[in-house]
């Protein structure tokens, strides 16, 4: 009986295959982004031939959403869309695709980590991270340059952050990033030295916005967390 009891206890402590799959998706996505396995310049050249078709923007939105939902490097679509369309149209595509993929990633991680979350939801560290994962914090990390969106999407799902605040912060983040990137790429077509522009004129506003969100978080940090609902 003692052995059976120990075995059951060991099984409860052992991570479920759903959690292992979630971690694998996240790590593979980050690795794919670092290795840059796809020749995106070739994808851009092919895309130019089809960008004028009515079905191409919806296809971009679906592809971007799928990439983000599966923790793949969806940020490329910001650059691809910015190179193919005027800033306003590109921003709209980026926001719809980014938010769709973020919500998909949220529910994928929520589903895969549900059993593990039930085990650790009363742990102090889990509650601490969840308590500080409020609307302002989500806006700060979402607007910060190069911060992996897959980490935000999956992390919010695992923590069970309120979907409404998650979606709103995602809309804000993708709107700001999407427009800045799209406008920058649009201007790059007429610039002789784009590297200097990208090094600070594009990143500085995003960093400043992120710091402003962090400052607001520190100033109003003693107020009740939005992660616990209104």
């Amino acid at each position: 009986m003692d052995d059976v009891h120990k075995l059951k206890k060991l099984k409860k402590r052992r991570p479920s295959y759903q959690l292992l799959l979630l971690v694998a998706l996240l790590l593979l996505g980050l690795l794919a982004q670092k290795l840059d396995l796809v020749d995106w310049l070739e994808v851009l050249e092919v895309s130019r031939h089809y960008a004028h078709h009515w079905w191409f923007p919806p296809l971009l939105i679906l592809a971007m959403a799928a990439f983000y939902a599966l923790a793949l490097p969806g940020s490329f679509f910001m650059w691809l869309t910015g190179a193919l369309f005027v800033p306003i149209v590109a921003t709209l595509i980026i926001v719809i695709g980014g938010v769709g993929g973020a919500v998909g990633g949220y529910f994928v991680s929520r589903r895969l980590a549900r059993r593990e979350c039930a085990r650790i939801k009363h742990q102090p560290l889990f509650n601490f991270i969840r308590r500080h994962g409020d609307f302002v914090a989500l806006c700060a990390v979402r607007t910060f340059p190069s911060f992996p969106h897959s980490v935000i999407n999956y992390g919010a799902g695992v923590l069970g952050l309120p979907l409404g605040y998650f979606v709103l912060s995602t809309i804000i983040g993708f709107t700001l990033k999407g427009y800045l990137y799209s406008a920058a790429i649009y201007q790059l077509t007429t610039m002789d030295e784009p590297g200097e522009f990208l090094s600070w004129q594009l990143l500085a506003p995003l960093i400043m916005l992120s710091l402003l969100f962090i400052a607001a978080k520190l100033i109003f940090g003693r107020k009740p967390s939005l992660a616990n609902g209104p």
Side-chain angles (χ1 to χ4, degrees):
M1 293 297 295
D2 291 339
D3 292 338
V4 174
H5 180 71
K6 289 180 179 179
L7 182 60
K8 290 182 178 180
K9 192 173 182 180
L10 181 61
K11 287 182 178 180
K12 288 182 179 180
R13 292 180 179 178
R14 185 179 301 168
S16 63
Y17 75 90
Q18 292 99 330
L19 181 62
L20 295 176
L21 177 60
L22 179 64
V23 174
L25 282 174
L26 187 58
L27 292 178
L28 287 174
L30 293 174
L31 182 62
Q33 185 172 358
K34 291 295 182 182
L35 295 179
D36 197 16
L37 300 176
V38 180
D39 187 352
W40 295 115
L41 290 177
E42 183 176 344
V43 174
L44 175 60
E45 290 303 316
V46 173
S47 299
R48 290 187 190 277
H49 297 290
Y50 301 100
H52 63 282
H53 292 287
W54 67 266
W55 49 263
F56 192 75
L59 181 63
L60 271 182
I61 291 172
L62 290 175
M64 185 177 184
F67 267 57
Y68 276 125
L70 298 176
L72 294 171
S75 296
F76 161 75
F77 289 95
M78 290 190 183
W79 299 93
L80 178 63
T81 306
L84 296 174
F85 303 97
V86 297
I88 296 298
V89 175
T91 302
L92 183 61
I93 294 172
I94 289 168
V95 171
I96 297 175
V99 173
V103 173
Y106 178 96
F107 283 109
V108 166
S109 61
R110 189 77 179 144
R111 176 67 179 84
L112 294 179
R114 182 174 57 183
R115 184 181 300 177
E116 295 300 324
C117 289
R119 296 178 184 177
I120 64 174
K121 64 180 181 180
H122 298 299
Q123 294 291 330
L125 181 60
F126 182 89
N127 288 323
F128 175 83
I129 297 175
R130 187 177 188 276
R131 189 166 61 250
H132 287 82
D134 55 23
F135 173 74
V136 179
L138 286 172
C139 288
V141 294
R142 187 69 80 176
T143 55
F144 195 82
S146 300
F147 196 95
H149 288 281
S150 58
V151 173
I152 304 172
N153 301 336
Y154 281 20
V158 170
L159 293 170
L161 301 183
L163 183 60
Y165 298 125
F166 172 76
V167 171
L168 182 57
S169 64
T170 303
I171 292 174
I172 292 173
F174 274 107
T175 300
L176 294 172
K177 271 188 176 179
Y179 183 77
L180 285 173
Y181 281 131
S182 300
I185 295 171
Y186 186 78
Q187 293 181 37
L188 289 180
T189 59
T190 61
M191 295 184 65
D192 296 328
E193 298 181 359
E196 184 179 354
F197 176 85
L198 289 177
S199 64
W200 65 274
Q201 287 180 286
L202 175 59
L203 300 182
L206 292 174
I207 294 174
M208 184 62 67
L209 286 168
S210 184
L211 291 176
L212 288 175
F213 283 123
I214 294 173
K217 167 77 174 170
L218 295 175
I219 293 172
F220 301 104
R222 293 186 178 182
K223 293 190 175 183
S225 171
L226 296 180
N228 296 320

